């Protein structure tokens, strides 16, 4: 098996782990987001959603950004930043389209994830 194929399989496995973690932590991250940026009551809207569903939908892209930068920085291969850049495109589009006024929050989550991943990488490389 070539080295490129091994890296591809490893990065796809990391992506799958990121998606699973984003799913399971979406509600907690959504609650954190609502804590920092309280949402107004959405009465009078056409569709009514439970608050937990709103928090889950808010938390999916945020937890995806955090875990993507964390895991690819810590365990990604030689082209990890290329993978991070390409895989962040959908989350960035979502954040810019739906919540441009708080764009600094996902940027901060990405930077925190990158810093923790960098520290993990340095710890394991010793």
């Amino acid at each position: 098996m070539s080295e490129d194929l091994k890296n591809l399989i490893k990065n796809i496995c990391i992506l799958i782990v990121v998606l699973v973690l984003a799913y399971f932590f979406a509600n907690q991250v959504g609650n954190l987001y609502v804590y920092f940026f309280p949402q107004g009551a959405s009465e009078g809207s056409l569709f009514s959603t439970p608050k937990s569903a709103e928090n889950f939908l808010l938390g999916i892209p945020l937890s995806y950004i955090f875990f993507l930068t964390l895991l690819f920085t810590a365990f990604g291969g030689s082209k990890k930043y290329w993978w991070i850049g390409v895989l962040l495109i959908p989350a960035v589009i979502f954040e810019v389209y739906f919540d441009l006024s708080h764009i600094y929050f996902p940027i901060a989550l990405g930077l925190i994830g990158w810093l923790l991943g960098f520290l993990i990488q340095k710890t394991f490389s010793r």
Side-chain angles (χ1 to χ4, degrees):
M1 199 185 277
S2 72
E3 191 65 32
D4 289 337
L5 185 59
K6 286 181 184 178
N7 267 344
L8 178 67
I9 291 171
K10 181 176 81 168
N11 288 339
I12 290 173
C13 290
I14 291 172
L15 176 62
I16 291 169
V17 170
V18 165
L19 292 172
V20 169
L21 288 173
Y23 175 79
F24 283 113
F25 285 95
N27 200 26
Q28 289 85 359
V29 175
N31 288 335
L32 179 71
Y33 181 81
V34 170
Y35 175 77
F36 285 117
F37 308 108
Q39 307 295 313
S42 59
E43 296 175 22
S45 63
L46 181 60
F47 300 107
S48 176
T49 58
K51 202 59 159 164
S52 61
E54 287 180 14
N55 291 349
F56 180 80
L57 292 174
L58 285 171
I60 283 276
L62 297 172
S63 59
Y64 173 79
I65 290 169
F66 174 75
F67 286 117
L68 183 79
T69 56
L70 172 73
L71 294 179
F72 269 98
T73 303
F75 305 113
S78 60
K79 296 182 180 181
K80 62 185 169 190
Y81 293 115
W82 182 86
W83 278 83
I84 290 172
V86 169
L87 293 173
L88 277 179
I89 291 172
V92 169
I93 291 171
F94 181 86
E95 290 296 331
V96 167
Y97 186 74
F98 286 108
D99 197 17
L100 185 59
S101 63
H102 299 125
I103 193 70
Y104 52 86
F105 191 74
I107 291 172
L109 283 177
L111 289 174
I112 291 168
W114 173 80
L115 181 63
L116 290 174
F118 183 75
L119 293 174
I120 291 170
Q121 177 196 22
K122 291 299 178 191
T123 302
F124 283 138
S125 67
R126 290 183 183 173

